[in-house]
Amino acid sequence: MADRVFEEIARTGKALTSGSRLKLLQLLTQGERSVQDLAAAASLNLTTASAHLQALRSAGLVTSRREGTRVVYRTTGDDVALLLTVLSRVAEAHRPEVRAEYAASLPADDLTLLSRAELLAASEAGRVVVLDVRPTDEYDAGHLPGAISIPLPELADRLAEIPADTEVVAYCRGRNCVLSHDAVRLLRAEGYRADLAEEGIAEWIADGVRMSGRTALR
């Protein structure tokens, strides 16, 4: 009996043995999306994205529904974000290669990574502008209270909306999402004081942080 239980648990682990599937899961922690949208956001062709999503569904990590001719996916619960986050944290803690790749992706050597507590305290005190650079539909599905939404592709044209005399802290889908990294590079090049949130939506959902505009999955 115990061996069969372990084999069934291992099926979940097998579903996570693809970087593309982890990326799809991170996208789905932001909110439900169609296969077409997921394929575009993950830079996958439709057939490949569908195959990865079917593997994740077979493992019980995502579920789907039909909306007209489109198939829409969502994670099966907020504990999926927790699973993804714990896996990432363990990999970073115990594999130098993961730490090296993450460090190489950061936009500057003098960057400050604000912890969740530091970010929330600074935001509540009005010391920073918290910038969400994800697409608008992801922001609408759930965002950090007090964050303003300027999707990365629009940032260069909307700099006037950001006070020039206040530090900007950018965040996006998760710790390994580079949208916020690119935003910080752009902001610093334009003379802004800009840093990164240490975490993103996936980690905050995993730890039960309240999101504006979001209903927890059950």
Side-chain angles (χ1 to χ4, degrees), residues 86-102:
V86 170
L87 177 62
S88 299
R89 287 171 177 166
V90 169
E92 188 172 348
H94 300 290
R95 296 196 60 228
E97 298 89 345
V98 176
R99 293 195 297 274
E101 288 293 335
Y102 179 70

Side-chain angles (χ1 to χ4, degrees), residues 11-12 15 54-63 75-77 79-80:
R11 288 185 61 195
T12 300
Q54 288 166 19
L56 292 170
R57 182 172 58 187
S58 178
L61 298 173
V62 303
T63 187
T75 60
T76 47
D79 51 0
V80 175

Side-chain angles (χ1 to χ4, degrees), residues 170-213:
Y171 75 83
C172 55
R173 293 164 177 153
R175 180 171 169 81
N176 300 319
C177 174
V178 298
L179 298 178
S180 54
H181 299 198
D182 292 342
V184 168
R185 289 189 182 93
L186 189 157
L187 288 164
R188 287 190 166 205
E190 294 294 329
Y192 286 82
R193 290 183 295 141
D195 285 304
L196 278 176
E198 188 174 28
E199 301 170 324
I201 291 292
E203 290 82 15
W204 295 329
I205 290 173
D207 290 342
V209 176
R210 181 179 63 85
M211 295 288 147
S212 294

Side-chain angles (χ1 to χ4, degrees), residues 29-81:
T29 62
Q30 317 301 302
E32 63 178 17
R33 303 178 81 139
S34 70
V35 178
Q36 291 85 348
D37 288 345
L38 287 165
S43 300
L44 299 170
N45 65 53
L46 192 59
T47 300
T48 301
S50 295
H52 283 314
L53 289 164
Q54 288 166 19
L56 292 170
R57 182 172 58 187
S58 178
L61 298 173
V62 303
T63 187
S64 64
R65 63 179 176 83
R66 285 205 167 268
E67 191 175 84
T69 60
R70 295 160 71 87
V71 178
V72 177
Y73 278 85
R74 67 184 294 180
T75 60
T76 47
D78 287 349
D79 51 0
V80 175

